[in-house]
Amino acid sequence: MTVTRREMLAATAAALAAPLVAPAPAGAAEAAQAAQAARMAPKFFTAPEFALLDELSDLIIPTDAHSPGARVAGVATYIDFRLSESLDTDQQAKWHSGLAAVDTLSQELHGKAFLQGTPEQRLAVLTKMAAGEKDPKTPAEHFFQQLKGWTVRAYYTSKVGIHADQRYKGNVYQRGEYAGYDAT
């Protein structure tokens, strides 16, 4: 018996596609949810640190009428992943101590941890940190520079930042007047 090239390709394609269309075994939905939760769990930060980072990044780039904010873009998840893969232990330590400095500042200003404060109190802590951005003196002010830089980088390299905020359309022909730079 001889097998033609066409029959061999059809059999190979069917064998490769079979696992993709096979029915899910009982309990697969629960397993998929558990896998999703494991992917979403912080890899570097503790759960409270991650929640703090998520809130801080969303205060820096909040959702508005123009585009979704840092939380929707997954900024905290991106930073968490980058730090989990980093070999720079000094950088990792700066993030842990920086988040602790935010809570310390919140305790000094309002007598409670950052996430336990009201939205106005949280904004006041962030505003105090940002006030020293040009000439940081306190640990929280130093951390703000790092936090803001990483938040902006993570946001504007995400799908949300590129497409929703910047409205990037890809490689498309620009019609009409081009407002480029004239080098002459």
Side-chain angles (χ1 to χ4, degrees):
M1 171 179 158
T2 60
V3 178
T4 67
R5 182 173 179 259
R6 184 178 305 253
E7 291 170 334
M8 180 57 87
L9 287 173
T12 303
L16 290 173
L20 300 176
V21 295
E30 292 82 11
Q33 288 174 345
Q36 174 76 9
R39 279 194 305 274
M40 299 306 290
K43 295 175 181 2
F44 171 73
F45 294 111
T46 64
E49 286 175 330
F50 185 84
L52 177 57
L53 173 61
D54 192 44
E55 180 65 20
L56 286 166
S57 64
D58 204 56
L59 284 171
I60 292 172
I61 304 177
T63 297
D64 59 16
H66 177 69
S67 63
R71 182 171 287 131
V72 175
V75 167
T77 302
Y78 172 82
I79 293 171
D80 178 65
F81 174 75
R82 287 291 308 269
L83 289 169
S84 75
E85 296 289 317
S86 176
L87 299 176
D88 187 350
T89 55
D90 290 338
Q91 180 77 292
Q92 292 172 331
K94 286 180 184 176
W95 277 90
H96 286 304
S97 63
L99 290 171
V102 172
D103 266 339
T104 299
L105 179 60
S106 182
Q107 286 285 351
E108 291 171 6
L109 295 176
H110 307 293
K112 56 179 94 170
F114 184 83
L115 290 176
Q116 293 165 352
T118 65
E120 294 78 22
Q121 290 171 332
R122 293 176 186 183
L123 188 57
V125 171
L126 190 67
T127 302
K128 175 88 168 140
M129 291 168 50
E133 180 180 16
K134 299 289 186 209
D135 185 26
K137 297 192 181 3
T138 68
E141 291 169 350
H142 282 283
F143 177 65
F144 179 77
Q145 289 181 318
Q146 183 177 16
L147 171 68
K148 180 180 170 187
W150 279 55
T151 297
V152 169
R153 182 178 305 114
Y155 182 78
Y156 286 107
T157 57
S158 73
K159 186 175 183 176
V160 169
I162 292 170
H163 295 289
D165 189 75
Q166 296 297 304
R167 301 200 173 151
Y168 177 71
K169 295 176 183 78
N171 279 340
V172 296
Y173 178 71
Q174 301 287 325
R175 297 183 186 270
E177 187 72 22
Y178 178 67
Y181 178 73
D182 186 8
T184 58

